[in-house]
Amino acid sequence: MSTQNPIWGFTDFAETFGGRLAMMGFFLAIVTEVMTGQGIVGQVSTLLNF
């Protein structure tokens, strides 16, 4: 097994990709909160009809 090009684990690509996905998630959460006037918990409870 080669240790110079790991397929699994904490690779630079995985860390960068995960960080970008997290930034998009936070941005979309803020946008939907502004559009709906409800926080994340309010949106989920509306979605699940609680």
Side-chain angles (χ1 to χ4, degrees), residues 25-37 43:
F26 282 123
F27 175 74
L28 290 174
I30 291 169
V31 168
T32 55
E33 185 170 347
V34 168
M35 290 175 56
T36 63
Q43 292 176 27

Side-chain angles (χ1 to χ4, degrees), residues 4-49:
Q4 293 184 0
N5 291 326
I7 296 173
W8 302 102
F10 297 105
T11 63
D12 288 338
F13 174 75
E15 293 296 316
T16 304
F17 189 67
R20 289 177 180 165
L21 286 177
M23 287 187 281
M24 286 186 352
F26 282 123
F27 175 74
L28 290 174
I30 291 169
V31 168
T32 55
E33 185 170 347
V34 168
M35 290 175 56
T36 63
Q38 295 180 339
I40 299 296
V41 175
Q43 292 176 27
V44 171
S45 65
T46 301
L47 179 68
L48 298 176
N49 296 322

